[in-house]
């Protein structure tokens, strides 16, 4: 199958992009790396009349430290999350998750903004925005705002981005020296979407967990923060008992849907296995 015919514009500024989107009367789609949108066009799951290509908008690029935050322009590519030294130093969880996203050819073109805006619940980067307590900068004809990750992911493929608006940048609090983090996922084959994935970010100042953030992917319609598991760890030494309590608490946090291929009970079990593995690795390395 081939995509339906569409017009194509490549604006140089945000204002031009908003105008081009509005001119198409709601029948436009923004395109960034095209790694999700182009297959959807080819399968006619989406058939916009106009594609507004945001690749030339300079404001959507760049990786920089701004005070206590790392700013990643929405057009930052997956491969940069993997290779960039500033990301490795300031947002190591992103660098750990990046190799699990798809394959090198897709990582060369796919953007962080595209992945987070699409909000596929099986995607690695949206869940890591939750684990890192990131904020999403959104701009549109009516202005600009920053939305915390906890409010950004609203439902299946539904985010705080309104039609016509663009995700401009991701703002991530800098990792501090006492932070320890790790990421892993279980997939049938490396590069496949995960059956379940998890990112963990702990503050471990003196072997006691003073802050815990745990986010799962592929366990529901949105990425999920595991608040009960976080509470089970906070204020405790990171030992076997605390790990078991956190694993048990996941039944309060996760409510995966029944699925022919992966029953809900199995997905919950795998989430516990994954969390235990990650906490064990962090404890071993601390
Ligand atoms: C074979 C294959 C395997 C894959 N495996 C994985 C995987 O394991 N894990 C994973 O996470 N992903 C995977 N992907 C998806 C891939 O990571 C995509 O690149 C990513 O989801 C979207 O980024 P993009 O820049 O290509 O966005 P596009 O495809 O260009 O756009 C995706 C959507 O986001 C919107 N959009 C893009 N940028 C913005 C913006 N700045 N503001 C507002 N809206 C925007 C577009 O309008 C569109 O609706 C896979 C893709 C393929 C083809």
């Amino acid at each position: 199958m081939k995509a339906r015919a569409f017009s194509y514009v490549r604006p140089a500024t945000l204002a031009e992009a908003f105008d081009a989107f509005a001119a198409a009367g709601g029948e436009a789609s923004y395109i960034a790396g095209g790694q999700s949108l182009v297959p959807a066009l080819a399968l006619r799951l989406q058939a916009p009349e106009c594609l507004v290509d945001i690749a030339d908008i300079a404001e959507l690029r760049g990786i920089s430290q701004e005070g206590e935050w790392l700013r990643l322009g929405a057009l930052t590519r997956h491969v940069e999350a993997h290779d960039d030294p500033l990301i490795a130093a300031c947002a190591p969880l992103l660098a750990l998750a990046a190799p699990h996203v798809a394959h090198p050819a897709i990582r060369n073109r796919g953007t962080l903004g595209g992945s987070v805006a699409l909000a596929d619940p099986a995607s690695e980067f949206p869940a890591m925005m939750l684990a890192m307590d990131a904020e999403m900068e959104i701009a549109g004809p009516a202005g600009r705002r920053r939305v915390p990750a906890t409010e950004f992911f609203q439902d299946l493929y539904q985010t705080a981005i309104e039609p016509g608006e663009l995700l401009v940048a991701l703002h991530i609090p800098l990792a501090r020296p006492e932070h320890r983090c790790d990421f892993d996922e279980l997939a049938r084959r490396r590069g496949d979407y995960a059956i379940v994935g998890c990112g963990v970010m702990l503050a471990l100042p003196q072997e006691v967990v003073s802050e815990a953030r745990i986010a799962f992917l592929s366990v529901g319609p949105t990425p999920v923060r595991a608040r009960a598991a976080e509470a089970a760890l906070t204020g405790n030494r990171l030992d076997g008992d605390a790990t078991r309590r956190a694993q048990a608490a996941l039944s309060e946090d996760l409510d995966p849907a029944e699925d022919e291929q992966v029953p809900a009970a199995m997905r919950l079990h795998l989430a516990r296995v994954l969390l235990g593995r990650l906490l064990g690795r962090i404890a071993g390395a601390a």
Side-chain angles (χ1 to χ4, degrees):
M1 206 184 270
K2 282 187 180 169
R4 204 179 74 176
F6 51 80
S7 60
Y8 175 86
V9 288
R10 197 165 168 131
T13 65
L14 283 177
E16 286 173 21
F18 302 145
D19 287 348
F21 194 98
E27 294 298 322
S29 186
Y30 292 121
I31 182 164
Q35 297 306 294
S36 292
L37 186 59
V38 170
L41 296 179
L43 292 167
R44 298 207 178 185
L45 297 172
Q46 282 177 258
E49 286 180 4
C50 176
L51 278 192
V52 181
D53 189 338
I54 59 176
D56 284 349
I57 303 177
E59 199 186 330
L60 302 182
R61 296 201 175 275
I63 300 170
S64 57
Q65 193 178 327
E66 295 182 350
E68 294 300 303
W69 297 81
L70 179 70
R71 179 196 185 274
L72 302 177
L75 289 174
T76 303
R77 294 189 189 279
H78 298 352
V79 66
E80 294 175 90
H82 189 232
D83 293 347
D84 187 87
L86 194 58
I87 294 180
C90 299
L93 195 50
L94 212 49
L96 289 166
H100 295 268
V101 180
H103 307 281
I106 290 157
R107 295 200 291 267
N108 285 340
R109 304 256 346 140
T111 66
L112 294 186
S115 177
V116 172
L118 184 64
D120 186 328
S123 277
E124 289 80 0
F125 293 131
M128 293 314 97
M129 293 302 125
L130 273 183
M132 295 185 298
D133 241 356
E135 292 184 4
M136 269 41 89
E137 182 181 342
I138 300 170
R144 196 177 282 252
R145 64 193 186 283
R146 267 166 80 151
V147 179
T150 46
E151 294 165 26
F152 181 82
F153 301 106
Q154 298 180 342
D155 207 338
L156 186 63
Y157 296 111
Q158 200 177 311
T159 71
I161 303 173
E162 299 289 341
E165 290 187 323
L166 276 168
L167 182 57
V168 173
L170 314 170
H171 297 270
I172 301 168
L174 300 184
R176 297 192 303 271
E178 69 270 24
H179 276 132
R180 301 284 178 274
C181 66
D182 209 343
F183 175 89
D184 212 342
E185 66 181 36
L186 298 166
R188 289 186 203 285
R189 293 171 307 183
R190 182 90 182 193
D192 280 5
Y193 280 102
I195 298 170
V196 59
C198 180
V200 175
M201 185 107 190
L202 303 180
L204 264 176
Q206 268 136 14
E207 296 181 26
V208 170
V209 179
S210 64
E211 182 194 6
R213 280 184 256 128
I214 301 170
F216 281 91
L217 53 119
S218 278
V219 292
T222 63
V224 176
R225 265 290 282 275
R227 304 273 186 190
E230 293 172 0
L233 293 174
T234 307
N236 294 305
R237 291 178 70 83
L238 186 57
D239 56 16
D241 279 350
T243 297
R244 279 186 287 279
R245 283 196 299 275
Q247 288 173 302
L250 286 182
S251 52
E252 291 173 50
D253 291 316
L254 309 182
D255 185 19
E258 283 301 338
D259 175 317
E260 266 180 30
Q261 309 238 330
V262 188
M266 179 179 163
R267 210 181 286 270
L268 182 58
H269 171 72
L270 293 178
R272 288 195 170 116
V273 170
L274 204 49
L275 181 61
R277 194 178 285 178
L278 288 167
L279 295 177
R281 290 208 307 240
I282 292 174

